[in-house]
Amino acid sequence: MGKITGFLEYERQVEKCESPKERIKNYKEFTIPLEPSKLQDQGARCMDCGIPFCHSGCPLGNFIPDFNDKVYKGKWEEAAQILHKTNNFPEFTGRLCPAPCEEACVLGINEDPVTIENIEKNIVETAFAKAWITPNPPQHRTGKTVAVIGSGPAGLAAAQQLNRAGHLVTVFERDAKVGGLLRYGIPDFKLEKHIIDRRIKILEDEGIIFKTNVEVGTTIKAGELQEAYDAVVLCGGATVKRKLPIPGADLKGVHQAMDFLKQNNQRVDGISDFEETLTAEEKNVVVIGGGDTGSDCIGTSNRHGATSVTNFEILSKPTVGRPAHQPWPYWPMKLKTTSSHQEGVERFFSISTKEFIGDGKGNLKALKTVAVEWIFKKGERPELKEIPSTEKEWKCELALLALGFTGSEKTLAEQFGVTMDGRTNIQATTKDYKTNVSGVFTAGDMRRGQSLIVWAISEGRQAAHHVDTFLMGNSTLPLKDDSDLPRV
């Protein structure tokens, strides 16, 4: 597998980037691909370990050593075939996944891990460039019909798998274009939208029907879908945004991060008709929340021409290296510095926002914070305490709330009569992805709560197997750890 001594001969290399000064002038992707020979060297670093923990680190169970080996040997088409066996959309995960597979790489115990994500992206991009990825419609149709609600990664994965099984699949999307948060939540500088469009064209040519501007529960009722289709898969995501209920939260200038990001993506796509234009231009911006969404707001604000960008995180500053209580191969909660951070931001940890301050005319002009500390006691939940005499006022005309999501919207659940848990996720186990209503399934963030794109694809694939079994009595669609792919 790979070159036996490759991990001793080659150091880890990743794609370089255009300078921050240049890349913030536009919304294009800014990475500079490695040469194919350099990528082959990276594939050679895969070390023929006895147990490849990268498999368990990957929610999709990708056959990582196998495609690494093919890249090392220059067999790119075979690498693409292996990659697509378990991942419907490696062009998304190869750009956006935080790469838990790399944190589980055996080489990562005492060296830099194999650059799995970058190899993955280059495999699929080579496959598209060489026209190896073509529509593959099913040879036979079952006559069964399936409605998939939501066109994010979970919905798209479920739709493609069910279409491969021969069912007639229709995907309903309430927005104007397909893609869910891939299209309206991820900035173009991380994922240009033609990347989505080329894959959707493949899915359409395979026979999947997409209906946009259709909000199930409003435009069409749940009962109508249940009558018209043999099965329904709810993949609407966890879209209820977490609020910050403090004084001044209703001031003009306080916005949810996803509203800010969605509008910007729409503007990049040529849409300009908005009731209120959300822009960071010449404003002091404070992004509240230190996750990926917050990072995306930072990168977008810099491209708008913000006067300043500041980032608050209520949690303590993570360690740069792997924390002692999160040993290999577990996912470590360590300090993450993204390309957006490198473009310009001041970051503050252990800080809590107490109040948004207005200018007397309904506009945000500042906010007030206090430093906090976390008190940990064995067997108890961590306790957050404010540190006396640490209140501070910050000049701010735009505050973006990147606080995550609290669950899925209730409209679909109420109309379909499905049960929700305390976090407003739709209840269904990984055993069969069935809700309490016969013929209604759920997958992705709508089932598991806010999570990763790679988990959404995995959920869509898994759910499709169980929907197929429900419709036909059995299924040949693969489950994780169940594939006919021959081992190398």
Side-chain angles (χ1 to χ4, degrees):
M1 189 66 62
K3 188 176 183 181
I4 298 300
T5 58
F7 69 97
L8 298 172
E9 298 177 31
Y10 307 112
E11 294 182 351
R12 175 183 167 99
Q13 282 190 301
V14 296
E15 293 180 333
K16 295 181 179 179
C17 300
E18 294 178 11
S19 70
K21 183 179 179 180
E22 290 300 316
R23 67 191 189 225
I24 64 171
K25 295 177 181 179
N26 58 64
Y27 293 93
K28 300 291 186 181
E29 293 181 23
F30 49 77
T31 56
I32 303 170
L34 292 173
E35 299 173 4
S37 61
K38 297 293 184 183
L39 286 163
Q40 288 180 237
D41 291 345
Q42 294 305 298
R45 296 185 76 239
C46 195
M47 61 183 298
D48 198 19
C49 49
I51 300 177
F53 278 80
C54 54
H55 286 184
S56 58
C58 175
L60 285 163
N62 282 344
F63 301 124
I64 294 164
D66 303 65
F67 65 65
N68 282 341
D69 179 68
K70 295 302 182 184
V71 167
Y72 161 59
K73 294 175 179 175
K75 298 180 179 179
W76 290 87
E77 187 169 9
E78 291 181 35
Q81 292 170 353
I82 293 170
L83 181 55
H84 279 90
K85 276 284 186 176
T86 54
N87 188 350
N88 298 66
F89 314 118
E91 64 270 33
F92 303 153
T93 55
R95 287 172 164 82
L96 304 172
C97 185
C101 55
E102 294 187 16
E103 294 295 346
C105 174
V106 173
L107 184 57
I109 295 175
N110 61 347
E111 296 284 350
D112 291 329
V114 176
T115 175
I116 300 168
E117 183 181 23
N118 191 226
I119 289 173
E120 180 179 309
K121 186 184 85 168
N122 280 276
I123 290 172
V124 68
E125 289 305 317
T126 299
F128 270 112
K130 299 286 187 180
W132 295 332
I133 299 175
T134 57
N136 186 25
Q139 294 183 350
H140 304 285
R141 289 289 181 183
T142 64
K144 301 291 185 179
T145 57
V146 182
V148 175
I149 301 174
S151 68
L156 294 178
Q160 185 170 47
Q161 293 298 101
L162 288 165
N163 184 69
R164 287 171 173 171
H167 309 308
L168 294 167
V169 181
T170 302
V171 178
F172 293 88
E173 170 55 56
R174 65 183 175 184
D175 279 316
K177 290 188 177 183
V178 171
L181 288 186
L182 288 170
R183 184 175 297 278
Y184 293 118
I186 306 296
D188 286 63
F189 56 80
K190 289 174 64 176
L191 176 70
E192 291 185 45
K193 301 309 177 263
H194 68 85
I195 301 296
I196 302 174
D197 294 336
R198 71 181 180 187
R199 181 63 76 170
I200 297 304
K201 180 64 167 60
I202 295 285
L203 300 184
E204 289 177 330
D205 291 345
E206 290 178 342
I208 298 174
I209 299 169
F210 291 94
K211 293 189 176 182
T212 56
N213 291 314
V214 177
E215 184 168 6
V216 177
T218 303
T219 312
I220 184 172
K221 300 300 181 183
E224 297 176 61
L225 287 184
Q226 288 173 289
E227 289 181 9
Y229 293 87
D230 297 305
V232 177
V233 190
L234 306 178
C235 299
T239 54
V240 179
K241 309 172 191 76
R242 181 175 280 108
K243 298 178 181 179
L244 187 57
I246 60 175
D250 58 347
L251 288 170
K252 185 177 180 180
V254 180
H255 297 281
Q256 286 287 343
M258 293 310 303
D259 296 338
F260 175 73
L261 293 174
K262 179 177 180 178
Q263 187 183 109
N264 189 74
N265 283 9
Q266 290 174 316
R267 284 204 301 271
V268 173
D269 195 31
I271 299 172
S272 57
D273 185 20
F274 302 105
E275 290 185 9
E276 178 185 2
T277 300
L278 305 183
T279 179
E281 185 178 2
E282 296 184 352
K283 293 179 181 178
N284 295 287
V285 180
V286 175
V287 179
I288 304 174
D292 288 338
T293 300
S295 170
D296 293 342
C297 288
I298 292 166
T300 302
S301 296
N302 280 318
R303 283 162 177 76
H304 283 189
T307 300
S308 68
V309 184
T310 306
N311 185 205
F312 293 161
E313 171 58 70
I314 199 169
L315 298 176
S316 303
K317 186 175 182 178
T319 58
V320 175
R322 181 184 287 275
H325 67 285
Q326 294 169 338
W328 176 92
Y330 296 106
W331 175 257
M333 299 300 292
K334 58 186 180 181
L335 182 64
K336 183 178 181 181
T337 300
T338 70
S339 59
S340 290
H341 295 142
Q342 295 166 351
E343 291 163 3
V345 65
E346 279 194 278
R347 303 170 75 182
F348 295 88
F349 296 86
S350 299
I351 188 169
S352 176
T353 306
K354 298 287 292 179
E355 180 185 356
F356 294 112
I357 302 170
D359 62 357
K361 300 178 181 179
N363 302 306
L364 177 69
K365 73 170 187 178
L367 53 78
K368 186 183 295 183
T369 65
V370 63
V372 296
E373 61 178 337
W374 292 88
I375 308 300
F376 295 90
K377 296 181 181 179
K378 189 174 182 179
E380 298 181 14
R381 293 175 61 90
E383 181 183 357
L384 182 65
K385 285 191 173 182
E386 296 183 0
I387 300 175
S389 303
T390 61
E391 286 194 352
K392 182 177 179 179
E393 190 171 303
W394 307 72
K395 188 176 181 181
C396 173
E397 295 84 38
L398 177 64
L400 299 173
L401 309 183
L403 305 173
F405 303 87
T406 60
S408 57
E409 298 169 30
K410 294 182 179 180
T411 304
L412 281 179
E414 291 171 348
Q415 285 216 5
F416 281 100
V418 297
T419 304
M420 306 183 87
D421 64 19
R423 294 187 173 186
T424 67
N425 300 321
I426 294 178
Q427 288 190 329
T429 68
T430 52
K431 179 182 178 181
D432 54 22
Y433 290 78
K434 292 179 180 178
T435 68
N436 60 296
V437 177
S438 179
V440 180
F441 298 75
T442 186
D445 288 5
M446 184 164 267
R447 187 195 73 82
R448 65 180 289 121
Q450 180 184 357
S451 191
L452 306 175
I453 290 170
V454 65
W455 266 115
I457 297 172
S458 175
E459 290 251 324
R461 288 174 61 88
Q462 298 290 97
H465 173 96
H466 297 293
V467 175
D468 188 32
T469 300
F470 168 79
L471 294 172
M472 307 303 294
N474 56 68
S475 178
T476 58
L477 291 176
L479 284 172
K480 204 181 301 182
D481 301 323
D482 179 20
S483 173
D484 60 355
L485 182 70
R487 308 302 292 158
V488 176

